[in-house]
Amino acid sequence: MDVLSAGSSCCGGTWESPGGWGHAASQRCPGDTAGGDTTCQVPWPETMGSVGAAGSECGCHCCWAGTRCVEHKTRSAPQLLRDGDGDRLCLGSPSFPLLPASNSKFCPTAAASKLEISMPAVVEVEIGGTARIECNFYIPENASYTYIDWFYVDRSNKQVRLYHITANGILEDDTDYKKRLSLDGDRALSISAVTAQDARTFVCQVGAGSYGVGENSTELSVYKVPNTPEIEPASAGISVHSSVVPEIAKCTSKNSFPPPNITWHKNGEQLHAQENQVTIQSTLTRESSGLYTVSSTLYAPVTREDRHSRYRCTVHYWLRGQRRALESREVQVNIFYPTEHLKLQVVSSSALVKEGDNVTLVCEADGNPQPVFSFFKKNLNEWQDLTLLAEPDSGVLKLHEVDKSSNGTYKCQSLDLDDMSQIEEDVDLVVNYIEGVRVKMEPSSTLREGDSVTLSCDAFSPVGLKYQWRDEKGKKLVDGNQLYLSNLTFETSNTFSCRVMAPSVPGLEQSKKVSVAVEGKPRIVAISSPLYVRQDEVINLTCKAIAFPRPTVQWSINGTTHEYMDNQHIASNLTVRVSHDLLQAGAMCRVSNSLGVSEKHIQLVDQKSTAESQGVIIVAIIVAILVVAVLGAVIYFLHKKGKIPCGRAGKQDITKPEARKDKIVVEVKSDKLSEEAGLLQGANGEKRAAADQSEKYIDLRN
């Protein structure tokens, strides 16, 4: 069942302006009996009996022979039903009463004898897609068509035939559409690969013999969804003092059909053209492909607040009867505006600035672009220009290792080149410091061993100070500004440090060192003696002493000397070749200063003779040990054989037997009577006479 909207054919006529339900509706009925092309008023019936007579009252406005009904503009379309007798009835919504069918005695049949052709008014298809255009027709008494022709209307408003369809076959004309056309089973026309040039009118003409020729048309609407719009903000900055309305941004959307339109938005609100305020200029370009590129440029005045504004454009287009939109990204524009406020601040690594710190003065302006900055320091009643020390075009002035002289008032001055306006701001820099650290020693006269001394420390600072004494190794000795040293010695001589601190300013401190020197005559503390040497070898002789004032070291022999000084300690090395006289006499180290002299002798020992004597002693000891071992073994052997009774007093006679080849005889001889007397003793422990022990034989027979 086809539903027709206002403006469509109905019973050979056309809806002019359908009224609401229960109101009059105007319908043009070219085929009525009132004389053709007249307009009559037909009241919508409340009951079936109220339907007007055929012809003059255009009673065909609801339905006619066939299966077509008309859609009312403001209500649901009536639907065609059949009753039990096969009669066709028109039935609307619950508020619309039952209307008679075309073959009912209540329904007029003024248009029932005419050929009717029904086509959609518009068919929409996307470029590249396939369009399908239907052609539905009614021939009275179910008669057959003679032919069906399809046409398109060219630019000169001339119909160009595409197809000629008869019962004998289908003839396709030679046109630009030939390779893209096809016919469906219901003779609907299909166009593939639709292009922008296909947006035209297509006509369906039906020949029905005696019933004449009828035709209708469809407008093919071709569309292409545009690309997402691309927005580009103005490349140069925009001044709030611009004398003309500046360009804000440009928006471009490509490949659309038909041409879309572009709107602008600022912070989410749409902008509209206003005289001397907002101007929107659009351009439309048709590409060779038939698609359109649309561009739009926004011109609008700006203020300081627009530095945070966001702009976007939106492309609007129609698709299948609905309005669609594509949005661009949001952009910001670079707004130029003068400085209204200036801020100068001190940036340091610590909350309280102290001497030795690196300090940065940062000048910040709220204008755009940043103004030209200048720095000054107040000296008495004049301002000293420090601009050359600042980083160019940055508003930053760096002060390295500030001290007491860095205290004072600093000023930053900004200059806007756009309107040449100036703004100033100043800040005070306070540098905490310690100065005048000094150490006093009492008594200040020369110190000798056994004396006492007091060290005092003092300094100045605008903040409170604390004192501490440390030795040269950094070990803490005492808190306070005084250090008392008693019973001084050379070893007490040292470098002491007074550490001055400001507790209220972390890291603020200074130190002062003082040396305490104890005077006295030299004292030799180390010497290389005795020293074992060999004749003719080169040796080093060392002599170390402690003294103050600095002493001199002299050697009794000639050689090459090297001296080393460490505080009150002095060391002298003498390189010399060992001679016979040097071995005999040794060397003398003499250390002296204005307070006295100290000497020490270095003994040299011949390493060779010492080694020989030691070797003789070692050999004698080894021989003695061997003799004792052998005698012990002999005595033990005789004792085991019973030759020497155990515990028997007196002498044991040992006879000298005749030597035999199968007997073992041990002969013990000694060149030293004293050693023999000590080794050969009788069984009773008495020593034998030396004469008796000069040569003895011990019989070791069984």
Side-chain angles (χ1 to χ4, degrees), residues 26 50 56 59 72 75 86 92 132 158 169-170 223 236 319 337 356 369 396 439 555 608 663:
S26 176
S50 63
S56 61
H72 192 274
R75 292 296 177 96
R132 187 175 188 274
K158 178 183 177 181
I170 300 174
Y223 68 89
L319 179 62
Y337 46 89
V396 175
V439 175
W555 292 90
K608 179 178 179 181
K663 303 296 173 76

Side-chain angles (χ1 to χ4, degrees), residues 92-305:
S93 62
S95 61
F96 188 83
L98 187 68
L99 296 179
S102 59
N103 61 352
S104 170
K105 64 182 179 179
F106 299 106
C107 185
T109 59
S113 60
K114 291 188 65 71
L115 170 65
E116 295 291 338
I117 299 176
S118 173
M119 293 180 69
V122 179
V123 170
E124 288 185 322
V125 62
E126 185 173 11
I127 290 179
T130 299
R132 187 175 188 274
I133 304 175
E134 296 181 352
C135 180
N136 297 310
F137 54 87
Y138 167 73
I139 302 176
E141 299 180 359
N142 291 327
S144 298
Y145 65 88
T146 305
Y147 69 90
I148 300 175
D149 284 346
W150 279 99
F151 301 89
Y152 75 86
V153 180
D154 62 13
R155 293 182 180 180
S156 62
N157 206 29
K158 178 183 177 181
Q159 290 186 352
V160 179
R161 194 175 71 175
L162 299 172
Y163 277 116
H164 178 69
I165 307 169
T166 63
N168 296 327
I170 300 174
L171 174 64
E172 181 179 3
D173 291 86
D174 188 12
T175 65
D176 294 339
Y177 283 97
K178 188 170 185 179
K179 295 182 179 180
R180 296 191 291 128
L181 295 179
S182 64
L183 289 173
D184 296 341
D186 57 355
R187 302 298 186 266
L189 178 67
S190 292
I191 306 172
S192 63
V194 172
T195 66
Q197 289 75 17
D198 294 332
R200 54 183 27 142
T201 301
F202 289 84
V203 178
C204 176
Q205 186 181 89
V206 179
S210 61
Y211 293 102
V213 176
E215 68 178 33
N216 207 338
S217 63
T218 293
E219 192 73 25
L220 180 59
S221 177
V222 178
Y223 68 89
K224 177 70 170 66
V225 176
N227 294 349
T228 301
E230 298 178 357
I231 185 172
E232 289 296 331
S235 57
I238 303 173
S239 173
V240 296
H241 298 308
S242 177
S243 58
V244 297
V245 179
E247 176 184 330
I248 302 298
K250 186 175 182 179
C251 181
T252 303
S253 179
K254 299 179 179 180
N255 300 327
S256 60
F257 191 90
N261 67 303
I262 295 178
T263 59
W264 286 94
H265 302 264
K266 173 184 173 181
N267 298 328
E269 295 185 3
Q270 184 173 346
L271 297 174
H272 300 280
Q274 299 178 13
E275 186 176 358
N276 298 326
Q277 291 293 319
V278 178
T279 301
I280 300 174
Q281 294 182 356
S282 298
T283 58
L284 182 65
T285 304
R286 184 182 180 94
E287 308 294 343
S288 59
S289 62
L291 303 180
Y292 289 96
T293 295
V294 60
S295 298
S296 179
T297 304
L298 173 66
Y299 298 86
V302 293
T303 64
R304 183 187 189 90
E305 288 68 28

Side-chain angles (χ1 to χ4, degrees), residues 573-649:
N573 290 335
L574 175 65
T575 302
V576 65
R577 183 178 297 277
V578 178
S579 64
H580 177 74
D581 293 339
L582 181 58
L583 277 173
Q584 297 298 320
M588 182 69 71
C589 174
R590 185 176 186 272
V591 184
S592 62
N593 64 5
S594 59
L595 300 178
V597 178
S598 181
E599 294 180 343
K600 279 202 175 181
H601 180 264
I602 297 178
Q603 179 186 357
L604 301 180
V605 180
D606 190 349
Q607 193 173 12
K608 179 178 179 181
S609 61
T610 303
E612 291 176 352
S613 60
Q614 290 177 349
V616 171
I617 295 173
I618 293 173
V619 171
I621 293 174
I622 293 175
V623 170
I625 292 173
L626 290 175
V627 171
V628 172
V630 172
L631 290 177
V634 171
I635 294 171
Y636 177 76
F637 179 76
L638 294 176
H639 171 69
K640 293 296 287 183
K641 293 297 183 177
K643 300 296 183 179
I644 302 176
C646 184
R648 183 177 181 183

Side-chain angles (χ1 to χ4, degrees), residues 398-409:
K398 293 184 177 181
L399 304 176
H400 299 281
E401 297 182 354
V402 296
D403 54 19
K404 177 183 176 181
S405 64
S406 303
N407 276 307
T409 302

